[in-house]
Amino acid sequence: MSTAPGVNDFALKLANVNGTGSASANGLLMQSIFRMGVPVSGKNLFPSNIQGLPTWYEIRVNGAGHTARSLEYHLMVAMNAQTYAQDVASVASGGYVLYDSSWPLDDDLIREDVNYLGVPLAAMCREHFTKNRERILMKNVAYAGALVALLDIDLDIVSTLLAETFAKNEALRESNQRALRLGYDVARENFPCPLPFRVEARGENQDSILVDGNTAIALGCLYAGATVVGWYPITPATAVMDNFIALCKRYRRVEVAPGEWENNYCVIQAEDEIAAIGMVLGASWAGARAFTSTAGPGISLMNELLGLAYYTEIPAVVVDVQRVGPSTGMPTRTQQGDLLACAYASHGDTRHIIVIPADPHEAFEFAVAAFDLAERFQTPVFVLSDLDIGMNDWIVPSLTWDDSFVPNRGRVLHDEDLANMREFFRYAHEDDDHVTARTLPGSDEKGAYFIRGSGHDRFGRYTEESGAYLQVVDRLRAKHASAAHHVPAPLEVRRPGSRVGLVTMGSCDRAVREAIELLAEQGVDCDYLRVRAFPFADSIRDFVDSHESCFVIEQNRDAQLKSLLTVELSLTPASMTSILDYGGFPLSASTVVEAVLAHQEVH
Amino acid sequence: MSTAPGVNDFALKLANVNGTGSASANGLLMQSIFRMGVPVSGKNLFPSNIQGLPTWYEIRVNGAGHTARSLEYHLMVAMNAQTYAQDVASVASGGYVLYDSSWPLDDDLIREDVNYLGVPLAAMCREHFTKNRERILMKNVAYAGALVALLDIDLDIVSTLLAETFAKNEALRESNQRALRLGYDVARENFPCPLPFRVEARGENQDSILVDGNTAIALGCLYAGATVVGWYPITPATAVMDNFIALCKRYRRVEVAPGEWENNYCVIQAEDEIAAIGMVLGASWAGARAFTSTAGPGISLMNELLGLAYYTEIPAVVVDVQRVGPSTGMPTRTQQGDLLACAYASHGDTRHIIVIPADPHEAFEFAVAAFDLAERFQTPVFVLSDLDIGMNDWIVPSLTWDDSFVPNRGRVLHDEDLANMREFFRYAHEDDDHVTARTLPGSDEKGAYFIRGSGHDRFGRYTEESGAYLQVVDRLRAKHASAAHHVPAPLEVRRPGSRVGLVTMGSCDRAVREAIELLAEQGVDCDYLRVRAFPFADSIRDFVDSHESCFVIEQNRDAQLKSLLTVELSLTPASMTSILDYGGFPLSASTVVEAVLAHQEVH
Amino acid sequence: MPSIAKPRIPLAPLAHNDLGLTIRDYEGAMSTLCAGCGHDSVTAAISLAFFELSIRPRDIAKLSGIGCSSKTPTYFINGAHGFNSAHGRMAAIATGAIAAQRGLHYIGVSGDGDSLSIGLGHLSHAIRRNVDMTYIIENNGVYGLTKGQVSPSADVGSRPKKGDPNVVPPIDPMELGLALGATFLARGFSGDKDQLVPLIKAAVAHRGFALLDVISPCVSFNDHEGSTKSYRFFREHEVHEIETDFVPQRAEIRSKISSDSARAVTMHDGSVMYFRALPEGYNPTDRVSVEAYLAERKAMGEVPTGLLFLREGAPDLHDMSGTVSRPLADLDLADLCPGNDALQRLQESFR
Amino acid sequence: MPSIAKPRIPLAPLAHNDLGLTIRDYEGAMSTLCAGCGHDSVTAAISLAFFELSIRPRDIAKLSGIGCSSKTPTYFINGAHGFNSAHGRMAAIATGAIAAQRGLHYIGVSGDGDSLSIGLGHLSHAIRRNVDMTYIIENNGVYGLTKGQVSPSADVGSRPKKGDPNVVPPIDPMELGLALGATFLARGFSGDKDQLVPLIKAAVAHRGFALLDVISPCVSFNDHEGSTKSYRFFREHEVHEIETDFVPQRAEIRSKISSDSARAVTMHDGSVMYFRALPEGYNPTDRVSVEAYLAERKAMGEVPTGLLFLREGAPDLHDMSGTVSRPLADLDLADLCPGNDALQRLQESFR
Ligand SMILES: Cc1ncc(C[n+]2csc(CCOP(=O)(O)OP(=O)(O)O)c2C)c(N)n1
Ligand SMILES: Cc1ncc(C[n+]2csc(CCOP(=O)(O)OP(=O)(O)O)c2C)c(N)n1
Ligand code: SF4
Ligand code: SF4
Ligand SMILES: [Mg+2]
Ligand SMILES: [Mg+2]
């Protein structure tokens, strides 16, 4: 499926050593292209390490808006001698390798079908900068400068960005601008600029922003009114909290006396994930909107208390930024391997609500929705994100907030309500969604009850009687089923006459949509359905039933989405074929296209 | 489905207050009937409390060998005034109520269709015994005596049992015998003894024993050669360890010098379940056979380390004596609600081996098998028992041990093996079951490696490369699939011409088998398949496919077995109908019969 | 229950407190613990302390983990909200609740197993965070609810009903608290209500984490005479069948601890504990001297009781977090949501 | 790696030990930690200590949790089996391994986050059980691997690279150990190998749980000058982009701790720590005086180093458990299985 690169249609990969400051230079390039109004994406493939190991950054420029990961690289910036061999090998035939020519390249790194662009970056920086730190850092900006020239990126935009970034530090601003220019000039002087593939300004990104999912989720939690957080650091979820705290500092401080500020939030770095979810339960029980964010290992540890929350009906929002499992796995690689672990978390009969955003925009909206769902259904709600969404910058439509939004705090009885009641029973008088009313600590004595994870009846009293126990757990099952009508509905895109259906979830979205276009070019028309929540809508069953063949595309080994669909919608397993991609990198369209075509051929 | 009781065909229920010594008297009755050679079962329905709450004991006598729980009680021993009303109400029409007539019965407890047998137990014991403690205790033995007379239980056998029990305490022996006789005599004098339903000696139980599953599992672990245990107390699993420790004291002490004894085992009461499984992993890594036992909440807590064991391929045996969930649930009630939690325990793509015994006999055998499987497949193995199996006494065939048994310690390389190798790589050179060889700490330097829960390649080295990661996790999936050929096969019983199949697991066994006989009487012939392990054998698919309708009978709300079968064997969900019984009590045949007939009528 | 008459929690005469409430307003459900269990005495002392403090039931929140001790919040102050949570997790859950709703008095009740085994991490970190609550450990040296295994507070040599004598050195919550910078440490005895009630009141009054270690005997799993290590299937034993399911009614142990000399109290198992109230002039604010005193008394086999250590004025969780004085749970979205304008402005930096 | 030359772990000249091995036999894989990380110095000290002790690599087992510190067992003694386990669980896993295979020398390496946050319970109970192992906390006051959050050992007021200064009082593992009855407590500094190597050797020699707290600076998350609290999307900040992904190469901090006065050592973040070796005549066997001394020095802002506390002869896990001297993992089924006759006899009691 190799295609020739062209104007606004190519991909580059930058190979660096982590901890050397390359991420900023790479981000600078990607953001500049964004500002030129051209669809672009950046994928940071970094190691679970602080300094000294290989790290890559991939930039894909695609005027048609396909910003899923591409597996073809037309230009490689090879800045890491450790990985020279594999980096050179991975350039598409006819492509380019930009390398630091301060040292000669080994002979065996020379490929006949590839063009080499040697820039003496280290030497240049040694010459132009004096401090050791600057010499290392500026190499990155210098290669960025060369790329600006080679790819026809708007130099003014890059300059402006640098100026904004270093607005408060003149020295740094100046040396960055100098390094940029150095690289730019050396490229213009030595290479045919621009290359055949290049960037051409468009007007595309006007209503878009460039944001990562962890930031977006933090924003969602801020806007939803979350006040209490218990959390424990873990890659790739940590930045949700870094961002949430930073946002709170900006928007949630109250001046209680002149110059005296207090916080409208309380973020507690817990001793572990069990404590983190424990704090969330305590806070939610007490009536606050509370959440935690974690990754797989944290979900495993939270299992017991998630069951407690389910059974006692306490709201909780848990953000799971998935990484590669099992166990510690690959903490800086992406996967969708926690779906089952979240759906049925905890021993005994338990089932939870999950919302599954596809990109940072949805991540923001679903984070807000999660709090409403949690309080409406008085139960844990997972926001199932992943490392690709969470830690990469995505172009998404700008976020908007409806200032008339009224949160759904669910059925909570306050003193006024209690005053009109003869007696309050925690788990009695369910509504149409099988939800019963709760009271909050501090409310009138009439509303006081003793919440417990042990067997209880509809009055909230301890019980070991079958009938009384069944009443409660059967209602819980019905309540969960009801939630299917309130969670984000699946997203369907149909093409007339399609007999093939592609079902997917989360961050696979863009790759699958691109695949649909590529498949159409090959004469295979496909409909698209993206599952956006659990419990599942019945329309998913209809979708599967109404297609001759259905593919379920997901990023885990065990076909977790397909399994969950099978069980929960009573689908015939044979009606779906899995496409599984779980090596730890964001999905690309070609993987899907190849799998679908291969299957079509066989059948 | 009410049937008249008869000789060797009836059930009684004894209602007591817990902590008053009734369990011994009830056990005495049940054991005496066993010694009379008549099939019998005893189900202890006790509260999660130490003293003062209602507790029940049910004895079912059935000459045909049906010892599942019966829902019809022909005789009620009502010793708990707190529950008089419900106890009297639950006696079958025409049945009997034996109560303590030291106090008069309330009028509203009088049912026209029931016979009352008043025995002034408290008064008698006050008269005949002086110590307070004895007066309470002996009431129990006295009602046992009355029942001996009423049910024609062999008094000699009961006496002998008492004599054995109190062999070393003459005073207690004497007072017990006296109390027994008191009750016996008062019944003979006042009531028509025996009742129409009664016990008649048979020769049935010769090759059988009376044992609970927790004891049997402890025995299995002892015989399998387990040496290290990490555990944390939890009902109903605690007795596994009580028994294991007691057995070790008896069989595993070595006299190292005259009068100086040392232990061939090390049992550590851990600080929590996470530590317990951690200790098991440490010990297994170091080469010992190690296990832990727990219940649902412990499984939830162990999730993270179970994933570590799965991914690093460390053997571990985990006994889960299931109780009612979710959360703390009903710790003294039975359920089969942890199947899914065990099958896929931990985040990411994980899948474990599970063996599912139906009774204490299998519990013994499967416990032994679990160690072989764990070491053979280098992975956690769950022994999925439940409270009914674990804490009730069952009549099962006597246990035997093949002294020529050689444990399967799996692929372990010792110094000799290493000496012949050029290099050792932990996860390379898989065998036909996709298992690779391991070495143990302390072995030659050549065999040393660094085990890790983070991404690793087939050499055991840290990796973040897709290909290297995939090689290992794909092999893990294949290895798990291979285990299907080594775990206990499903048990099938076919009746010629049956078009209905009943699929079940674990302690549902006896009730389902009884149901099959009852259904046959109603003209519905059913085949039987009992799932005894996960991963599943393909023959289960064949069984389901070859029946017009299949029922999956299990004790949880969410049809966990049916779900797992559907997903793992790619079955059509519609090909199976669930029969779910999850109120916390052992299954009875009538529940199954009614459900099957109701379904047959509709279809 | 005909066979065992459960004593109602003993009550003071029906006096009224400053709110006009009687002790009945501070009662809970009927206890289902064993007759004579020390925990019931602690329950009564808690009721009395809050009654005497004239705190409205609705202004109290009670939390616990899992265990016999953790059942007890059902048995006091019906009008207070309660949370019987999971084994060992109460400290973390209470921390979250307190972060959300600072307007209440929080009392946590736990056991020595719940707090010092599975919950040790959470307890320790709640101490560090100086979470504003009263945390009572009803300390009986055993896991009562799971039938008598030794707990981490069991002394070396103490013999559980089943199993071998304990060999692992105990954790003394007071020493632990000192090492972790606790701000309020006190020890009481369930049998000495005169001392216990004021200690609870002091703990409630303390701003920050008040850790109260209450020795509270378990009648059921400390009442064995001699060895009962044999098991059902051995049958060499004597009265095992009966011992496992017979719980004798025991009287509660009561003893007033005088301040001048150590008082010997005979426990249900026949063992003797020596309680000593703190001497006159004891300085609970000097950690080094407190540590020395505890060590000295421990060497004598005595258990000092009273307010052992106090540091007032230390920042609590809210001080550390800089939270507003209005409870976070009481804030509305209007107080919390920056609105669309702010969102649009913020997004300028996302371009 | 052209841009960052990673120093190999510094080595002693190629002397031979009693086994005829050189220090190379005690080396591990190349470190992937940041240049200048204190942990690399501890790694070197461990290699050297075992080399000097002339212990065969195969007789060593090395365990760790998760964190930068927990990566280090890969970097020493290739010939020893190693277990890089899960975050906070190493103490429990080591306990099981030691129960199974008592024939080895066990060394556990952990971080302050690994040990004092998530792993606090397991560490504490391993101390109580006096599990026979050397347990090193590479203590840097931060979570290195997750990029610099404060850990429970961070001092009040210490400022992480991101986020606010720490406000929660720290846990001092030495004070904790004293409260829990530890039998060996020592503190070293990664920059003083002369003191550290003997401490490690003493810890290995100790029978029981030897807790070694090693101050080990993190160059990456303590090197910020001034405030860096702003975030990417605010863009009001200065050099945030670069700070998050640029790790300067730092020289390792080295300082020899003399025994006569406290020595000031400037850390990477510019802060100064005062290390003090124990004075002559210091009595590490008297807990009360040790506690007093630690408190006194703490008040002076000093960090005492050396063998702080020692109790020899206390029973270890195996003594407490009465296990045979032959490692349990080495026993065969023949040693363990009572056989069919015994089973049949036993079942007489099941009838
Ligand atoms: C996760 C988990 N593990 C184990 C248990 C079983 N369990 C219930 S109470 C208890 C110990 C209680 O001991 P303690 O806290 O001292 O309370 P006590 O009963 O002595 O008052 C245990 C182990 C549980 N409920 N949950
Ligand atoms: C269950 C779990 N939670 C969180 C993490 C993420 N994590 C990895 S290392 C670490 C902290 C390490 O800090 P420390 O032990 O002090 O080691 P250092 O890196 O400072 O040497 C955390 C929180 C994890 N791996 N597992
Ligand atoms: S078992 Fe012990 S702690 Fe539990 S209620 Fe009975 S006496 Fe109290
Ligand atoms: S981040 Fe800190 S602790 Fe981790 S390797 Fe770098 S310097 Fe060491
Ligand atoms: Mg206790
Ligand atoms: Mg650290």
Side-chain angles (χ1 to χ4, degrees), chain A residues 19-24 48-49 51-52 82 137 165 168 172 232 238 242-243 246 249-250 269 271-272, chain D residues 1 4 32 34-35 71 87 89 117-118 143 149-150 162 164 231 233-234 236 238-239 241-242 245-247:
Chain A
T20 58
S22 60
S24 350
S48 176
N49 173 278
Q51 184 208 48
Q82 242 186 318
L137 280 171
T165 305
K168 296 195 184 148
L172 260 175
Y232 192 70
T238 299
D242 290 346
N243 284 309
K249 282 196 179 143
R250 178 151 169 185
Q269 185 182 310
E271 56 273 23
D272 58 24
Chain D
M1 282 172 283
I4 298 189
T32 59
C34 305
K71 287 183 176 182
H87 194 35
R89 313 303 170 194
S117 286
I118 190 167
Y143 292 1
Q149 300 81 15
V150 292
K162 285 194 279 198
D164 295 318
Y231 286 84
F233 47 87
F234 291 119
E236 323 137 329
E238 307 182 326
V239 288
E241 295 299 73
I242 286 165
D245 80 318
F246 177 71
V247 176

Side-chain angles (χ1 to χ4, degrees), chain B residues 19 23 49 52 168 172 243 250, chain C residues 1 32 233-234 236 239 245 247:
Chain B
N49 174 279
K168 295 196 184 148
L172 259 176
N243 284 310
R250 178 152 168 182
Chain C
M1 284 172 280
T32 60
F233 48 87
F234 292 119
E236 323 136 328
V239 289
D245 80 318
V247 176

Side-chain angles (χ1 to χ4, degrees), chain C:
Chain C
M1 284 172 280
S3 49
I4 298 191
K6 240 353 123 48
R8 248 193 117 72
I9 309 307
L11 303 174
L14 285 186
H16 292 262
N17 66 10
D18 292 352
L19 300 170
L21 301 175
T22 73
I23 186 71
R24 295 245 177 275
D25 297 307
Y26 293 83
E27 283 173 14
M30 176 86 93
S31 168
T32 60
L33 303 185
C34 305
C37 176
H39 300 350
D40 279 337
S41 311
V42 186
T43 295
I46 293 170
S47 287
L48 192 54
F50 279 99
F51 165 76
E52 290 182 1
L53 285 167
S54 291
I55 295 174
R56 290 193 305 177
R58 67 180 293 169
D59 293 335
I60 300 162
K62 45 189 191 177
L63 294 101
S64 62
I66 296 285
C68 294
S69 34
S70 293
K71 287 182 176 182
T72 64
T74 346
Y75 312 144
F76 61 81
I77 320 185
N78 262 333
H81 273 254
F83 194 154
N84 185 190
S85 67
H87 194 34
R89 312 303 170 193
M90 182 262 283
I93 292 172
T95 300
I98 291 162
Q101 180 48 272
R102 64 189 297 178
L104 305 176
H105 298 272
Y106 287 85
I107 176 154
V109 181
S110 175
D112 39 330
D114 198 61
S115 286
L116 305 178
S117 287
I118 190 167
L120 185 63
H122 308 308
L123 168 61
S124 300
H125 286 274
I127 290 174
R128 289 180 64 221
R129 294 187 188 105
N130 204 22
V131 176
D132 189 13
M133 71 181 296
T134 298
Y135 190 108
I136 295 181
I137 301 179
E138 296 183 351
N139 191 342
N140 54 15
V142 293
Y143 292 2
L145 192 56
T146 51
K147 303 210 159 188
Q149 299 81 13
V150 292
S151 89
S153 70
D155 286 319
V156 171
S158 82
R159 180 179 278 274
K161 189 166 175 180
K162 285 193 278 196
D164 295 317
N166 175 46
V167 285
V168 190
I171 300 179
D172 179 332
M174 301 291 98
E175 295 181 28
L176 180 77
L178 284 170
L180 295 170
T183 57
F184 181 110
L185 295 167
R187 179 148 44 209
F189 168 49
S190 65
D192 186 354
K193 192 191 279 184
D194 291 352
Q195 187 197 38
L196 186 54
V197 172
L199 286 178
I200 296 171
K201 287 159 78 172
V204 172
H206 176 68
R207 189 156 170 287
F209 195 85
L211 182 60
L212 189 45
D213 179 33
V214 183
I215 308 299
S216 173
C218 169
V219 303
S220 288
F221 298 104
N222 271 326
D223 80 327
H224 48 290
E225 302 136 51
S227 157
T228 56
K229 282 170 298 169
S230 52
Y231 287 82
R232 180 160 198 285
F233 48 87
F234 292 119
R235 302 279 171 201
E236 323 136 328
H237 61 333
E238 307 181 326
V239 289
H240 169 76
E241 295 299 76
I242 285 164
E243 286 186 346
T244 51
D245 80 318
F246 177 71
V247 176
Q249 294 185 61
R250 293 297 189 121
E252 214 187 292
I253 300 171
R254 289 172 176 270
S255 171
K256 208 171 138 189
I257 300 159
S258 69
S259 71
D260 28 291
S261 69
R263 171 162 301 257
V265 176
T266 306
M267 305 311 250
H268 289 115
D269 62 352
S271 69
V272 178
M273 282 184 82
Y274 295 88
F275 288 100
R276 176 185 287 279
L278 298 172
E280 296 278 330
Y282 178 88
N283 179 3
T285 64
D286 174 41
R287 175 173 155 188
V288 171
S289 78
V290 169
E291 276 170 342
Y293 181 78
L294 291 184
E296 171 198 318
R297 288 296 127 192
K298 192 180 185 178
M300 313 276 293
E302 293 178 8
V303 182
T305 59
L307 177 56
L308 300 177
F309 181 76
L310 182 67
R311 188 155 63 89
E312 281 293 352
D316 79 342
L317 173 72
H318 283 290
D319 299 330
M320 295 179 194
S321 313
T323 32
V324 288
S325 49
R326 204 164 140 217
L328 293 173
D330 294 350
L331 302 177
D332 292 324
L333 192 64
D335 305 317
L336 301 169
C337 179
N340 190 47
D341 282 354
L343 186 60
Q344 298 314 318
R345 275 197 305 278
L346 177 68
Q347 286 179 98
E348 287 313 313
S349 60
F350 296 175
R351 290 201 169 102

Side-chain angles (χ1 to χ4, degrees), chain B residues 106-263:
Chain B
D106 271 5
D107 284 352
D108 52 2
L109 291 172
I110 305 301
R111 269 174 63 183
E112 293 292 314
D113 62 338
V114 157
N115 310 296
Y116 289 82
L117 309 170
V119 183
L121 293 160
M124 282 159 51
C125 290
R126 215 177 306 120
E127 189 184 329
H128 287 86
F129 299 99
T130 49
K131 280 186 279 179
N132 226 337
R133 179 189 165 98
E134 265 188 335
R135 284 175 171 173
I136 296 172
L137 279 171
M138 292 312 146
K139 278 199 302 187
N140 302 308
V141 189
Y143 76 63
L147 290 170
V148 167
L150 287 162
L151 300 171
D152 218 6
I153 298 172
D154 188 327
L155 186 62
D156 284 349
I157 289 183
V158 184
S159 270
T160 311
L161 250 175
L162 272 184
E164 287 170 21
T165 304
F166 300 107
K168 295 196 184 148
N169 186 328
E170 172 152 0
L172 259 176
R173 191 166 67 236
E174 188 278 324
S175 47
N176 270 273
Q177 297 284 16
R178 199 142 46 90
L180 181 74
R181 196 74 217 197
L182 271 174
Y184 185 81
D185 291 343
V186 93
R188 307 267 313 192
E189 279 158 34
N190 295 288
F191 312 128
C193 288
L195 297 178
F197 50 88
R198 61 186 171 81
V199 186
E200 197 175 86
R202 291 274 169 86
E204 299 265 333
N205 299 327
Q206 238 104 41
D207 293 328
S208 298
I209 53 170
L210 198 59
V211 69
D212 63 74
N214 285 344
T215 301
I217 287 178
L219 262 170
C221 297
L222 180 83
Y223 272 73
T227 51
V228 180
V229 162
W231 75 293
Y232 192 71
I234 190 165
T235 307
T238 299
V240 172
M241 289 310 167
D242 291 345
N243 284 310
F244 184 74
I245 294 166
L247 286 165
C248 283
K249 283 196 179 142
R250 178 152 168 182
Y251 296 110
R252 285 279 191 79
R253 311 204 57 169
V254 216
E255 196 164 15
V256 288
E260 229 182 86
W261 295 81
E262 284 177 356
N263 300 332

Side-chain angles (χ1 to χ4, degrees), chain B residues 286-302:
Chain B
R289 289 196 147 182
F291 77 105
T292 188
S293 74
T294 189
I299 298 293
S300 279
L301 287 170
M302 292 177 187

Side-chain angles (χ1 to χ4, degrees), chain D residues 173-292:
Chain D
M174 300 292 99
E175 295 182 25
L176 181 77
L178 285 170
L180 294 170
T183 57
F184 180 111
L185 294 168
R187 179 149 43 209
F189 169 47
S190 65
D192 186 356
K193 194 192 278 187
D194 290 351
Q195 187 197 39
L196 186 54
V197 172
L199 286 179
I200 296 172
K201 287 159 78 172
V204 172
H206 176 67
R207 189 155 170 288
F209 194 85
L211 182 60
L212 188 44
D213 179 32
V214 183
I215 307 300
S216 174
C218 169
V219 302
S220 286
F221 298 104
N222 271 328
D223 81 327
H224 48 292
E225 301 135 51
S227 158
T228 57
K229 281 171 297 168
S230 51
Y231 286 84
R232 180 161 197 288
F233 47 87
F234 291 119
R235 303 277 174 204
E236 323 137 329
H237 60 334
E238 307 182 326
V239 288
H240 168 75
E241 295 299 73
I242 286 165
E243 286 187 344
T244 50
D245 80 318
F246 177 71
V247 176
Q249 294 185 62
R250 293 296 190 124
E252 218 187 291
I253 300 172
R254 291 173 175 268
S255 171
K256 203 169 145 195
I257 300 159
S258 68
S259 72
D260 28 291
S261 70
R263 172 165 300 260
V265 175
T266 305
M267 306 309 253
H268 288 115
D269 61 352
S271 70
V272 179
M273 281 184 84
Y274 294 88
F275 287 98
R276 175 183 287 278
L278 298 172
E280 296 277 329
Y282 178 88
N283 179 2
T285 65
D286 174 40
R287 175 173 156 189
V288 171
S289 78
V290 169
E291 276 170 342

